[in-house]
């Protein structure tokens, strides 16, 4: 029986939403491994909209769920409808949308809060003992999901995001771009991806390993 995986997206585009390459690599690997996938996103306004050509903020508003549909080819649902009992695992790709739309980590750092619907969904997987994969900047939310003592990676311990994770009560482990860090007690798998990657192939090397491990940990229901 194929395993069912929920993927939470945070918009469309590295600077204000989900990192497109990380998201596509994740979805591709899940499909290659025969998993059934459903994408989700919160039905909220983006923190802001960034011109990805110039890096400048644009005077407009966009919706995270609507933008995530660009990556999911329209097949994305409101995260508040995510029922943990229908899935075997959860994965969050990275991108600044994680720190801007799924949480306010980009502004508040260690004092951040997670968007309520996203937090409820992720905590449901944690409480059910189902594996979670957090990619790139997503591990910054690990303590909010699992509580103090959880181990994760953001790549280099010199990264300010790693310091924030530690100050929240998490344990940070350094990790090469092609590898993963697993917290066995929490069934959490993390990988740096574009926190360290210099190419799409480098990002894929760790993400593929994360997806494979999350599927190994998942118990089909």
């Amino acid at each position: 029986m194929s395993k069912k995986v929920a993927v939470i997206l945070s918009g469309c585009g590295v600077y204000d939403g989900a990192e497109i390459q990380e998201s596509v690599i994740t979805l591709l690997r899940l499909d290659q491994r025969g998993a059934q996938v459903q994408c989700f996103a919160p039905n909220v306004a983006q923190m802001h909209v960034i011109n990805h050509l110039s890096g400048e903020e644009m005077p407009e508003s966009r919706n995270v769920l609507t933008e995530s549909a660009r990556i999911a080819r329209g097949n994305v649902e409101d995260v508040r409808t995510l029922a943990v009992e229908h899935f075997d695992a959860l994965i969050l790709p990275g991108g600044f949308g994680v720190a801007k739309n799924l949480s306010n980590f980009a502004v508040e750092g260690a004092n951040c809060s997670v968007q309520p619907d996203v937090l409820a969904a992720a905590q449901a997987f944690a409480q059910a003992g189902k594996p979670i994969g957090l990619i790139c900047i997503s591990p910054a939310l690990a303590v909010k999901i699992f509580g103090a003592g959880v181990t994760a990676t953001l790549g280099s311990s010199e990264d300010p995001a790693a310091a924030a994770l530690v100050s929240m009560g998490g344990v940070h482990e350094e990790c090469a771009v092609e590898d993963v860090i697993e917290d066995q007690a929490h069934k959490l798998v993390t990988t740096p991806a574009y926190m360290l990657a210099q190419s799409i192939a480098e990002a894929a090397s760790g993400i593929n390993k994360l997806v494979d491990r999350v599927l190994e940990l998942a118990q089909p229901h």
Side-chain angles (χ1 to χ4, degrees):
M1 179 179 290
S2 64
K3 295 169 182 178
K4 297 181 178 179
V5 181
V7 175
I8 297 180
L9 301 174
S10 59
C12 182
V14 58
Y15 300 126
D16 59 12
E19 215 295 324
I20 295 172
Q21 294 179 355
E22 292 178 356
S23 301
V24 172
I25 293 165
T26 300
L27 296 172
L28 174 61
R29 188 61 170 182
L30 285 166
D31 192 50
Q32 289 174 333
R33 295 299 308 277
Q36 295 182 48
V37 179
Q38 178 61 54
C39 292
F40 294 88
N43 187 11
V44 297
Q46 291 183 185
M47 173 182 160
H48 58 195
V49 178
I50 298 295
N51 180 326
H52 279 60
L53 189 61
S54 68
E56 296 175 355
E57 188 170 345
M58 300 173 68
E60 61 180 89
S61 177
R62 296 190 185 184
N63 178 278
V64 176
L65 181 60
T66 302
E67 290 300 296
S68 296
R70 292 175 178 270
I71 295 175
R73 293 177 60 85
N75 185 19
V76 61
E77 298 176 6
D78 189 330
V79 71
R80 70 178 58 189
T81 69
L82 203 175
V84 65
E85 61 269 21
H86 295 159
F87 294 92
D88 305 307
L90 172 68
I91 297 179
L92 274 66
F96 279 103
V98 172
K100 294 177 176 180
N101 305 329
L102 303 190
S103 72
N104 58 4
F105 181 79
V107 177
E108 299 293 339
N111 296 315
C112 73
S113 59
V114 180
Q115 198 277 336
D117 298 327
V118 173
L119 182 62
Q123 287 182 334
F125 278 85
Q127 291 160 6
K130 295 183 177 183
I132 297 178
L134 299 177
I135 297 166
C136 192
I137 191 65
S138 295
L141 309 184
V143 176
K144 299 298 181 180
I145 297 169
F146 293 96
V150 65
T151 298
T153 190
L154 289 147
S156 170
S157 293
E158 302 300 314
D159 193 293
L165 175 72
V166 172
S167 66
M168 281 188 269
V171 177
H172 185 265
E173 286 195 17
E174 296 233 347
C175 182
V177 67
E178 71 276 6
D179 215 343
V180 299
I181 295 296
E182 181 179 345
D183 182 326
Q184 294 181 337
H186 293 96
K187 288 190 178 179
L188 171 64
V189 186
T190 55
T191 193
Y194 272 113
M195 295 297 284
L196 294 178
Q198 299 298 310
S199 69
I200 188 170
E202 282 192 357
S205 63
I207 293 172
N208 288 343
K209 196 172 288 187
L210 177 141
V211 169
D212 291 351
R213 184 57 184 151
V214 167
L215 290 175
E216 286 172 0
L217 292 170
Q219 300 297 319
H221 66 285

